[in-house]
Amino acid sequence: ETLFERMPLASYAYAKNIVARTCKTTENFTNLRFFGVFHHTEKPVRFFRRCYLAEKPIHIFQDHYFDYINLADIPVVMDAVIEGIEWDDMNVAYTEKFLLSELARNFLDSHGIKTEVIVDAIGPNNFTGDTTKLDRLNLPLRGLQAGLSQY
């Protein structure tokens, strides 16, 4: 709801803001804002899987909060949009927020992998969204933990 109050400085957030502004002025359009999407069938290019396959510690250059969502939950959200939701935009993320280091530790623990998570610094930016609108829909989402367990 604070879309027009400021422009983000980080390039990723700035680009997302421009897209959201454009969508907000487009009639009959719903902008679903995804921050990060993952699925167990993806190629091993993400840092969790890449480090796991290399059997090396997970190294995080800048730790920050980032909203990932399990791809398996997106069709449930899409169905709600198709059925007609009352908003022209919505963040698609889980309510609980995690640092990248916490996500990495969660991933490692869920697979019984004994390695360390190395954090160089705390990043200046967080890439998360308010989930009030999505939460109101009370959708049967599988959740982050289920996705990380399968990943």
Side-chain angles (χ1 to χ4, degrees), residues 80-99:
V81 171
I82 291 168
E83 291 173 13
I85 60 172
E86 59 188 271
W87 308 290
D88 55 5
D89 73 341
M90 181 172 59
N91 295 324
V92 182
Y94 302 116
T95 306
E96 192 172 1
K97 308 301 177 193
F98 294 97
L99 289 164

Side-chain angles (χ1 to χ4, degrees), residues 3 8-9 19 32-33 49 60 71-72 83 101 105 108 126:
L3 178 66
L9 297 176
V19 168
L32 296 179
R33 195 172 299 109
R49 183 163 281 180
I60 298 172
L71 178 65
E83 291 173 13
S101 60
R105 177 53 44 207
L108 294 170
N126 292 314

Side-chain angles (χ1 to χ4, degrees), residues 23-41:
C23 294
K24 196 121 178 116
T25 60
T26 304
E27 195 172 324
N28 296 319
F29 197 92
T30 300
N31 178 31
L32 296 179
R33 195 172 299 109
F34 301 100
F35 296 85
V37 179
F38 73 96
H39 194 256
H40 67 276
T41 59

Side-chain angles (χ1 to χ4, degrees), residues 32 72-85 90 137 139-141:
L32 296 179
D73 284 330
I74 293 176
V76 176
V77 176
M78 295 297 295
D79 284 346
V81 171
I82 291 168
E83 291 173 13
I85 60 172
M90 181 172 59
L137 297 175
L139 299 174
L141 302 178

Side-chain angles (χ1 to χ4, degrees), residues 37-43 46 49 68-73 142 147-148 150-151:
V37 179
F38 73 96
H39 194 256
H40 67 276
T41 59
E42 68 188 60
K43 293 180 181 177
R46 299 264 185 147
R49 183 163 281 180
Y68 280 100
I69 189 158
N70 182 356
L71 178 65
D73 284 330
R142 293 179 185 159
L148 287 176
Q150 284 185 307
Y151 193 74

